[in-house]
Amino acid sequence: MKHQNQISRKDFLIKTSIAGVSLILGSHLVQCKQEEKSMEKAQNKGPKCDDTTGLTQEEIEQRKNLQYTDYSPEPNKKCNNCALYVVAEGNSPCGKCNLIKGPISPEGWCTSWVPKA
Ligand code: SF4
């Protein structure tokens, strides 16, 4: 005879499995949210230097071809530690580059990155 408060082994296994899966999914969701926040934080780091006003179409294409971006995807490779970077002058947060035209973020990067000697 089964007591009213007793649960079957099958019920116990089902309930603990559901709890386990919920726990795993919950922790995965929290981890995803934390990664999303750190990516957003990384993307908000540094100035935006994407104003290509005054550049020729060819110069704009060169920026695209070299995959220039204001926020380096590689933490150890940024314009501010590239041999071709020219530090910003005056109040501008954006520097320049000896290779490509237009404003360059110190936190930026392109495929022609060269380490400073
Ligand atoms: S060559 Fe590329 S990585 Fe180096 S300063 Fe210019 S844009 Fe930045």
Side-chain angles (χ1 to χ4, degrees):
M1 189 169 88
K2 204 172 176 182
H3 190 269
Q4 201 174 8
N5 289 337
Q6 276 185 318
I7 59 169
S8 72
R9 180 185 163 99
K10 186 179 167 189
D11 284 346
F12 175 76
L13 290 174
I14 289 171
K15 285 177 181 170
T16 54
S17 296
I18 290 171
V21 168
S22 299
L23 191 63
I24 290 168
L25 289 176
S27 65
H28 183 69
L29 190 65
V30 168
Q31 189 180 358
C32 287
K33 285 282 181 195
Q34 285 172 341
E35 285 173 13
E36 197 175 289
K37 277 186 179 177
S38 65
M39 279 184 69
E40 284 172 7
K41 198 175 171 186
Q43 288 172 349
N44 289 329
K45 208 168 84 180
K48 275 185 73 96
C49 301
D50 58 357
D51 183 4
T52 54
T53 305
L55 298 186
T56 65
Q57 196 56 42
E58 197 176 307
E59 291 165 341
I60 292 169
E61 283 303 313
Q62 187 187 23
R63 285 172 76 97
K64 285 180 190 166
N65 291 340
L66 295 178
Q67 297 173 32
Y68 171 75
T69 175
D70 282 345
Y71 312 108
S72 176
E74 299 190 48
N76 299 326
K77 295 181 179 178
K78 296 179 179 183
C79 292
N80 65 10
N81 64 9
C82 172
L84 300 172
Y85 184 66
V86 179
V87 178
E89 293 175 357
N91 293 331
S92 174
C94 306
K96 292 180 181 170
C97 173
N98 285 321
L99 183 65
I100 62 176
K101 300 281 184 208
I104 301 292
S105 168
E107 298 295 322
W109 172 87
C110 85
T111 56
S112 291
W113 180 88
V114 185
K116 276 185 181 171

PDB file of all heavy atoms in Angstrom, residues 57-86:
ATOM      1  N   GLN A  57      35.537  58.117 -52.655  1.00  0.00           N
ATOM      2  CA  GLN A  57      34.949  56.776 -52.631  1.00  0.00           C
ATOM      3  C   GLN A  57      36.042  55.716 -52.507  1.00  0.00           C
ATOM      4  O   GLN A  57      35.884  54.716 -51.804  1.00  0.00           O
ATOM      5  CB  GLN A  57      34.106  56.551 -53.900  1.00  0.00           C
ATOM      6  CG  GLN A  57      33.162  55.365 -53.797  1.00  0.00           C
ATOM      7  CD  GLN A  57      32.212  55.456 -52.594  1.00  0.00           C
ATOM      8  OE1 GLN A  57      31.656  56.517 -52.286  1.00  0.00           O
ATOM      9  NE2 GLN A  57      32.047  54.343 -51.900  1.00  0.00           N
ATOM     10  N   GLU A  58      37.163  55.997 -53.164  1.00  0.00           N
ATOM     11  CA  GLU A  58      38.294  55.062 -53.124  1.00  0.00           C
ATOM     12  C   GLU A  58      38.853  54.937 -51.704  1.00  0.00           C
ATOM     13  O   GLU A  58      39.167  53.836 -51.236  1.00  0.00           O
ATOM     14  CB  GLU A  58      39.383  55.576 -54.068  1.00  0.00           C
ATOM     15  CG  GLU A  58      40.427  54.558 -54.440  1.00  0.00           C
ATOM     16  CD  GLU A  58      41.415  55.129 -55.464  1.00  0.00           C
ATOM     17  OE1 GLU A  58      40.957  55.644 -56.506  1.00  0.00           O
ATOM     18  OE2 GLU A  58      42.620  55.069 -55.196  1.00  0.00           O
ATOM     19  N   GLU A  59      38.954  56.071 -51.001  1.00  0.00           N
ATOM     20  CA  GLU A  59      39.465  56.053 -49.627  1.00  0.00           C
ATOM     21  C   GLU A  59      38.499  55.328 -48.679  1.00  0.00           C
ATOM     22  O   GLU A  59      38.926  54.609 -47.776  1.00  0.00           O
ATOM     23  CB  GLU A  59      39.730  57.493 -49.152  1.00  0.00           C
ATOM     24  CG  GLU A  59      40.900  58.136 -49.875  1.00  0.00           C
ATOM     25  CD  GLU A  59      40.972  59.651 -49.713  1.00  0.00           C
ATOM     26  OE1 GLU A  59      39.953  60.298 -49.358  1.00  0.00           O
ATOM     27  OE2 GLU A  59      42.067  60.207 -49.949  1.00  0.00           O
ATOM     28  N   ILE A  60      37.214  55.533 -48.928  1.00  0.00           N
ATOM     29  CA  ILE A  60      36.200  54.841 -48.116  1.00  0.00           C
ATOM     30  C   ILE A  60      36.277  53.334 -48.368  1.00  0.00           C
ATOM     31  O   ILE A  60      36.219  52.526 -47.435  1.00  0.00           O
ATOM     32  CB  ILE A  60      34.784  55.386 -48.424  1.00  0.00           C
ATOM     33  CG1 ILE A  60      34.670  56.835 -47.933  1.00  0.00           C
ATOM     34  CG2 ILE A  60      33.710  54.517 -47.784  1.00  0.00           C
ATOM     35  CD1 ILE A  60      33.423  57.569 -48.398  1.00  0.00           C
ATOM     36  N   GLU A  61      36.450  52.961 -49.650  1.00  0.00           N
ATOM     37  CA  GLU A  61      36.579  51.543 -50.008  1.00  0.00           C
ATOM     38  C   GLU A  61      37.801  50.920 -49.343  1.00  0.00           C
ATOM     39  O   GLU A  61      37.751  49.772 -48.901  1.00  0.00           O
ATOM     40  CB  GLU A  61      36.676  51.372 -51.535  1.00  0.00           C
ATOM     41  CG  GLU A  61      35.357  51.507 -52.251  1.00  0.00           C
ATOM     42  CD  GLU A  61      34.294  50.524 -51.762  1.00  0.00           C
ATOM     43  OE1 GLU A  61      34.601  49.325 -51.627  1.00  0.00           O
ATOM     44  OE2 GLU A  61      33.166  50.972 -51.502  1.00  0.00           O
ATOM     45  N   GLN A  62      38.887  51.691 -49.270  1.00  0.00           N
ATOM     46  CA  GLN A  62      40.100  51.166 -48.649  1.00  0.00           C
ATOM     47  C   GLN A  62      39.844  50.856 -47.167  1.00  0.00           C
ATOM     48  O   GLN A  62      40.300  49.828 -46.659  1.00  0.00           O
ATOM     49  CB  GLN A  62      41.273  52.143 -48.794  1.00  0.00           C
ATOM     50  CG  GLN A  62      42.580  51.533 -48.303  1.00  0.00           C
ATOM     51  CD  GLN A  62      43.728  52.511 -48.270  1.00  0.00           C
ATOM     52  OE1 GLN A  62      43.532  53.720 -48.194  1.00  0.00           O
ATOM     53  NE2 GLN A  62      44.941  51.977 -48.328  1.00  0.00           N
ATOM     54  N   ARG A  63      39.124  51.740 -46.480  1.00  0.00           N
ATOM     55  CA  ARG A  63      38.776  51.489 -45.070  1.00  0.00           C
ATOM     56  C   ARG A  63      37.996  50.182 -44.950  1.00  0.00           C
ATOM     57  O   ARG A  63      38.238  49.380 -44.052  1.00  0.00           O
ATOM     58  CB  ARG A  63      37.934  52.644 -44.498  1.00  0.00           C
ATOM     59  CG  ARG A  63      38.726  53.901 -44.192  1.00  0.00           C
ATOM     60  CD  ARG A  63      37.811  55.060 -43.824  1.00  0.00           C
ATOM     61  NE  ARG A  63      37.255  54.999 -42.485  1.00  0.00           N
ATOM     62  CZ  ARG A  63      37.766  55.644 -41.434  1.00  0.00           C
ATOM     63  NH1 ARG A  63      38.833  56.404 -41.560  1.00  0.00           N
ATOM     64  NH2 ARG A  63      37.188  55.553 -40.259  1.00  0.00           N
ATOM     65  N   LYS A  64      37.052  50.003 -45.879  1.00  0.00           N
ATOM     66  CA  LYS A  64      36.230  48.783 -45.851  1.00  0.00           C
ATOM     67  C   LYS A  64      37.073  47.558 -46.187  1.00  0.00           C
ATOM     68  O   LYS A  64      36.974  46.522 -45.531  1.00  0.00           O
ATOM     69  CB  LYS A  64      35.071  48.888 -46.849  1.00  0.00           C
ATOM     70  CG  LYS A  64      33.964  49.798 -46.389  1.00  0.00           C
ATOM     71  CD  LYS A  64      32.854  49.848 -47.410  1.00  0.00           C
ATOM     72  CE  LYS A  64      31.864  50.927 -47.091  1.00  0.00           C
ATOM     73  NZ  LYS A  64      30.973  51.229 -48.220  1.00  0.00           N
ATOM     74  N   ASN A  65      37.904  47.680 -47.227  1.00  0.00           N
ATOM     75  CA  ASN A  65      38.713  46.531 -47.661  1.00  0.00           C
ATOM     76  C   ASN A  65      39.675  46.060 -46.575  1.00  0.00           C
ATOM     77  O   ASN A  65      39.946  44.866 -46.460  1.00  0.00           O
ATOM     78  CB  ASN A  65      39.497  46.867 -48.926  1.00  0.00           C
ATOM     79  CG  ASN A  65      38.598  47.025 -50.132  1.00  0.00           C
ATOM     80  OD1 ASN A  65      37.469  46.547 -50.139  1.00  0.00           O
ATOM     81  ND2 ASN A  65      39.087  47.715 -51.161  1.00  0.00           N
ATOM     82  N   LEU A  66      40.180  47.015 -45.783  1.00  0.00           N
ATOM     83  CA  LEU A  66      41.088  46.652 -44.692  1.00  0.00           C
ATOM     84  C   LEU A  66      40.314  46.341 -43.404  1.00  0.00           C
ATOM     85  O   LEU A  66      40.907  46.132 -42.363  1.00  0.00           O
ATOM     86  CB  LEU A  66      42.109  47.770 -44.452  1.00  0.00           C
ATOM     87  CG  LEU A  66      43.074  48.029 -45.617  1.00  0.00           C
ATOM     88  CD1 LEU A  66      44.004  49.184 -45.300  1.00  0.00           C
ATOM     89  CD2 LEU A  66      43.881  46.783 -45.948  1.00  0.00           C
ATOM     90  N   GLN A  67      38.979  46.316 -43.535  1.00  0.00           N
ATOM     91  CA  GLN A  67      38.065  45.956 -42.435  1.00  0.00           C
ATOM     92  C   GLN A  67      38.258  46.843 -41.207  1.00  0.00           C
ATOM     93  O   GLN A  67      38.184  46.374 -40.069  1.00  0.00           O
ATOM     94  CB  GLN A  67      38.241  44.476 -42.071  1.00  0.00           C
ATOM     95  CG  GLN A  67      37.891  43.547 -43.202  1.00  0.00           C
ATOM     96  CD  GLN A  67      38.230  42.101 -42.894  1.00  0.00           C
ATOM     97  OE1 GLN A  67      38.176  41.682 -41.756  1.00  0.00           O
ATOM     98  NE2 GLN A  67      38.578  41.333 -43.909  1.00  0.00           N
ATOM     99  N   TYR A  68      38.561  48.138 -41.468  1.00  0.00           N
ATOM    100  CA  TYR A  68      38.737  49.052 -40.339  1.00  0.00           C
ATOM    101  C   TYR A  68      37.490  49.056 -39.460  1.00  0.00           C
ATOM    102  O   TYR A  68      36.366  49.103 -39.936  1.00  0.00           O
ATOM    103  CB  TYR A  68      39.036  50.490 -40.801  1.00  0.00           C
ATOM    104  CG  TYR A  68      38.990  51.442 -39.624  1.00  0.00           C
ATOM    105  CD1 TYR A  68      40.028  51.458 -38.707  1.00  0.00           C
ATOM    106  CD2 TYR A  68      37.877  52.235 -39.383  1.00  0.00           C
ATOM    107  CE1 TYR A  68      39.970  52.270 -37.574  1.00  0.00           C
ATOM    108  CE2 TYR A  68      37.811  53.054 -38.267  1.00  0.00           C
ATOM    109  CZ  TYR A  68      38.860  53.064 -37.374  1.00  0.00           C
ATOM    110  OH  TYR A  68      38.793  53.841 -36.244  1.00  0.00           O
ATOM    111  N   THR A  69      37.723  49.014 -38.160  1.00  0.00           N
ATOM    112  CA  THR A  69      36.622  49.103 -37.195  1.00  0.00           C
ATOM    113  C   THR A  69      37.079  49.956 -36.008  1.00  0.00           C
ATOM    114  O   THR A  69      38.265  49.947 -35.663  1.00  0.00           O
ATOM    115  CB  THR A  69      36.170  47.703 -36.730  1.00  0.00           C
ATOM    116  OG1 THR A  69      35.193  47.853 -35.707  1.00  0.00           O
ATOM    117  CG2 THR A  69      37.328  46.866 -36.191  1.00  0.00           C
ATOM    118  N   ASP A  70      36.132  50.715 -35.425  1.00  0.00           N
ATOM    119  CA  ASP A  70      36.459  51.586 -34.283  1.00  0.00           C
ATOM    120  C   ASP A  70      36.802  50.793 -33.026  1.00  0.00           C
ATOM    121  O   ASP A  70      37.404  51.331 -32.111  1.00  0.00           O
ATOM    122  CB  ASP A  70      35.273  52.500 -33.965  1.00  0.00           C
ATOM    123  CG  ASP A  70      35.166  53.675 -34.921  1.00  0.00           C
ATOM    124  OD1 ASP A  70      36.140  53.950 -35.641  1.00  0.00           O
ATOM    125  OD2 ASP A  70      34.098  54.313 -34.933  1.00  0.00           O
ATOM    126  N   TYR A  71      36.399  49.540 -32.967  1.00  0.00           N
ATOM    127  CA  TYR A  71      36.606  48.730 -31.757  1.00  0.00           C
ATOM    128  C   TYR A  71      37.286  47.427 -32.148  1.00  0.00           C
ATOM    129  O   TYR A  71      36.680  46.579 -32.802  1.00  0.00           O
ATOM    130  CB  TYR A  71      35.271  48.466 -31.048  1.00  0.00           C
ATOM    131  CG  TYR A  71      34.466  49.726 -30.896  1.00  0.00           C
ATOM    132  CD1 TYR A  71      33.329  49.936 -31.646  1.00  0.00           C
ATOM    133  CD2 TYR A  71      34.891  50.725 -30.026  1.00  0.00           C
ATOM    134  CE1 TYR A  71      32.607  51.107 -31.535  1.00  0.00           C
ATOM    135  CE2 TYR A  71      34.171  51.905 -29.909  1.00  0.00           C
ATOM    136  CZ  TYR A  71      33.033  52.089 -30.666  1.00  0.00           C
ATOM    137  OH  TYR A  71      32.319  53.250 -30.557  1.00  0.00           O
ATOM    138  N   SER A  72      38.517  47.298 -31.761  1.00  0.00           N
ATOM    139  CA  SER A  72      39.296  46.136 -32.161  1.00  0.00           C
ATOM    140  C   SER A  72      38.689  44.830 -31.661  1.00  0.00           C
ATOM    141  O   SER A  72      38.338  44.720 -30.482  1.00  0.00           O
ATOM    142  CB  SER A  72      40.724  46.254 -31.627  1.00  0.00           C
ATOM    143  OG  SER A  72      41.441  45.085 -31.941  1.00  0.00           O
ATOM    144  N   PRO A  73      38.608  43.825 -32.542  1.00  0.00           N
ATOM    145  CA  PRO A  73      38.135  42.508 -32.099  1.00  0.00           C
ATOM    146  C   PRO A  73      39.245  41.746 -31.370  1.00  0.00           C
ATOM    147  O   PRO A  73      38.988  40.711 -30.782  1.00  0.00           O
ATOM    148  CB  PRO A  73      37.753  41.818 -33.407  1.00  0.00           C
ATOM    149  CG  PRO A  73      38.628  42.452 -34.433  1.00  0.00           C
ATOM    150  CD  PRO A  73      38.845  43.877 -33.974  1.00  0.00           C
ATOM    151  N   GLU A  74      40.459  42.272 -31.447  1.00  0.00           N
ATOM    152  CA  GLU A  74      41.587  41.602 -30.799  1.00  0.00           C
ATOM    153  C   GLU A  74      42.162  42.532 -29.721  1.00  0.00           C
ATOM    154  O   GLU A  74      42.772  43.552 -30.049  1.00  0.00           O
ATOM    155  CB  GLU A  74      42.658  41.259 -31.831  1.00  0.00           C
ATOM    156  CG  GLU A  74      42.130  40.330 -32.902  1.00  0.00           C
ATOM    157  CD  GLU A  74      43.216  39.791 -33.785  1.00  0.00           C
ATOM    158  OE1 GLU A  74      44.239  39.331 -33.244  1.00  0.00           O
ATOM    159  OE2 GLU A  74      43.047  39.850 -34.999  1.00  0.00           O
ATOM    160  N   PRO A  75      41.973  42.192 -28.457  1.00  0.00           N
ATOM    161  CA  PRO A  75      42.352  43.080 -27.347  1.00  0.00           C
ATOM    162  C   PRO A  75      43.813  43.545 -27.377  1.00  0.00           C
ATOM    163  O   PRO A  75      44.104  44.651 -26.935  1.00  0.00           O
ATOM    164  CB  PRO A  75      42.088  42.235 -26.102  1.00  0.00           C
ATOM    165  CG  PRO A  75      41.188  41.133 -26.531  1.00  0.00           C
ATOM    166  CD  PRO A  75      41.411  40.928 -27.986  1.00  0.00           C
ATOM    167  N   ASN A  76      44.712  42.755 -27.907  1.00  0.00           N
ATOM    168  CA  ASN A  76      46.134  43.133 -27.910  1.00  0.00           C
ATOM    169  C   ASN A  76      46.568  43.850 -29.182  1.00  0.00           C
ATOM    170  O   ASN A  76      47.735  44.211 -29.320  1.00  0.00           O
ATOM    171  CB  ASN A  76      47.011  41.903 -27.692  1.00  0.00           C
ATOM    172  CG  ASN A  76      46.735  41.253 -26.361  1.00  0.00           C
ATOM    173  OD1 ASN A  76      46.436  41.939 -25.388  1.00  0.00           O
ATOM    174  ND2 ASN A  76      46.800  39.944 -26.322  1.00  0.00           N
ATOM    175  N   LYS A  77      45.648  43.988 -30.112  1.00  0.00           N
ATOM    176  CA  LYS A  77      45.977  44.650 -31.375  1.00  0.00           C
ATOM    177  C   LYS A  77      45.007  45.803 -31.591  1.00  0.00           C
ATOM    178  O   LYS A  77      43.863  45.609 -31.997  1.00  0.00           O
ATOM    179  CB  LYS A  77      45.879  43.654 -32.542  1.00  0.00           C
ATOM    180  CG  LYS A  77      46.895  42.543 -32.464  1.00  0.00           C
ATOM    181  CD  LYS A  77      46.755  41.613 -33.640  1.00  0.00           C
ATOM    182  CE  LYS A  77      47.794  40.508 -33.586  1.00  0.00           C
ATOM    183  NZ  LYS A  77      47.642  39.555 -34.691  1.00  0.00           N
ATOM    184  N   LYS A  78      45.482  46.996 -31.286  1.00  0.00           N
ATOM    185  CA  LYS A  78      44.653  48.195 -31.443  1.00  0.00           C
ATOM    186  C   LYS A  78      45.457  49.243 -32.187  1.00  0.00           C
ATOM    187  O   LYS A  78      46.692  49.194 -32.200  1.00  0.00           O
ATOM    188  CB  LYS A  78      44.261  48.748 -30.073  1.00  0.00           C
ATOM    189  CG  LYS A  78      43.389  47.815 -29.282  1.00  0.00           C
ATOM    190  CD  LYS A  78      43.061  48.409 -27.932  1.00  0.00           C
ATOM    191  CE  LYS A  78      42.156  47.476 -27.154  1.00  0.00           C
ATOM    192  NZ  LYS A  78      41.765  48.040 -25.868  1.00  0.00           N
ATOM    193  N   CYS A  79      44.754  50.209 -32.763  1.00  0.00           N
ATOM    194  CA  CYS A  79      45.454  51.274 -33.490  1.00  0.00           C
ATOM    195  C   CYS A  79      46.482  51.965 -32.591  1.00  0.00           C
ATOM    196  O   CYS A  79      47.566  52.316 -33.049  1.00  0.00           O
ATOM    197  CB  CYS A  79      44.454  52.275 -34.048  1.00  0.00           C
ATOM    198  SG  CYS A  79      43.414  51.580 -35.363  1.00  0.00           S
ATOM    199  N   ASN A  80      46.150  52.144 -31.306  1.00  0.00           N
ATOM    200  CA  ASN A  80      47.086  52.878 -30.439  1.00  0.00           C
ATOM    201  C   ASN A  80      48.370  52.103 -30.129  1.00  0.00           C
ATOM    202  O   ASN A  80      49.281  52.648 -29.528  1.00  0.00           O
ATOM    203  CB  ASN A  80      46.408  53.389 -29.164  1.00  0.00           C
ATOM    204  CG  ASN A  80      45.939  52.273 -28.259  1.00  0.00           C
ATOM    205  OD1 ASN A  80      46.267  51.114 -28.463  1.00  0.00           O
ATOM    206  ND2 ASN A  80      45.153  52.627 -27.262  1.00  0.00           N
ATOM    207  N   ASN A  81      48.455  50.841 -30.542  1.00  0.00           N
ATOM    208  CA  ASN A  81      49.741  50.151 -30.439  1.00  0.00           C
ATOM    209  C   ASN A  81      50.207  49.631 -31.806  1.00  0.00           C
ATOM    210  O   ASN A  81      50.992  48.706 -31.900  1.00  0.00           O
ATOM    211  CB  ASN A  81      49.738  49.050 -29.365  1.00  0.00           C
ATOM    212  CG  ASN A  81      48.780  47.909 -29.668  1.00  0.00           C
ATOM    213  OD1 ASN A  81      48.221  47.827 -30.755  1.00  0.00           O
ATOM    214  ND2 ASN A  81      48.595  47.025 -28.710  1.00  0.00           N
ATOM    215  N   CYS A  82      49.695  50.293 -32.840  1.00  0.00           N
ATOM    216  CA  CYS A  82      50.088  49.979 -34.223  1.00  0.00           C
ATOM    217  C   CYS A  82      51.147  51.001 -34.660  1.00  0.00           C
ATOM    218  O   CYS A  82      51.050  52.187 -34.346  1.00  0.00           O
ATOM    219  CB  CYS A  82      48.867  50.072 -35.135  1.00  0.00           C
ATOM    220  SG  CYS A  82      49.247  49.929 -36.899  1.00  0.00           S
ATOM    221  N   ALA A  83      52.133  50.540 -35.381  1.00  0.00           N
ATOM    222  CA  ALA A  83      53.221  51.404 -35.847  1.00  0.00           C
ATOM    223  C   ALA A  83      52.740  52.493 -36.802  1.00  0.00           C
ATOM    224  O   ALA A  83      53.406  53.515 -36.967  1.00  0.00           O
ATOM    225  CB  ALA A  83      54.285  50.556 -36.531  1.00  0.00           C
ATOM    226  N   LEU A  84      51.577  52.289 -37.412  1.00  0.00           N
ATOM    227  CA  LEU A  84      51.083  53.251 -38.399  1.00  0.00           C
ATOM    228  C   LEU A  84      50.131  54.300 -37.810  1.00  0.00           C
ATOM    229  O   LEU A  84      49.665  55.182 -38.521  1.00  0.00           O
ATOM    230  CB  LEU A  84      50.385  52.495 -39.546  1.00  0.00           C
ATOM    231  CG  LEU A  84      51.290  51.504 -40.290  1.00  0.00           C
ATOM    232  CD1 LEU A  84      50.483  50.672 -41.272  1.00  0.00           C
ATOM    233  CD2 LEU A  84      52.399  52.252 -41.017  1.00  0.00           C
ATOM    234  N   TYR A  85      49.874  54.207 -36.512  1.00  0.00           N
ATOM    235  CA  TYR A  85      48.918  55.127 -35.877  1.00  0.00           C
ATOM    236  C   TYR A  85      49.561  56.477 -35.582  1.00  0.00           C
ATOM    237  O   TYR A  85      50.713  56.553 -35.136  1.00  0.00           O
ATOM    238  CB  TYR A  85      48.401  54.521 -34.579  1.00  0.00           C
ATOM    239  CG  TYR A  85      47.347  55.355 -33.892  1.00  0.00           C
ATOM    240  CD1 TYR A  85      46.101  55.562 -34.466  1.00  0.00           C
ATOM    241  CD2 TYR A  85      47.596  55.938 -32.652  1.00  0.00           C
ATOM    242  CE1 TYR A  85      45.136  56.331 -33.842  1.00  0.00           C
ATOM    243  CE2 TYR A  85      46.626  56.706 -32.007  1.00  0.00           C
ATOM    244  CZ  TYR A  85      45.395  56.897 -32.614  1.00  0.00           C
ATOM    245  OH  TYR A  85      44.442  57.654 -31.996  1.00  0.00           O
ATOM    246  N   VAL A  86      48.800  57.549 -35.830  1.00  0.00           N
ATOM    247  CA  VAL A  86      49.230  58.911 -35.523  1.00  0.00           C
ATOM    248  C   VAL A  86      48.287  59.431 -34.428  1.00  0.00           C
ATOM    249  O   VAL A  86      47.071  59.506 -34.641  1.00  0.00           O
ATOM    250  CB  VAL A  86      49.159  59.824 -36.782  1.00  0.00           C
ATOM    251  CG1 VAL A  86      49.586  61.239 -36.435  1.00  0.00           C
ATOM    252  CG2 VAL A  86      49.983  59.240 -37.913  1.00  0.00           C
TER     253      VAL A  86
END
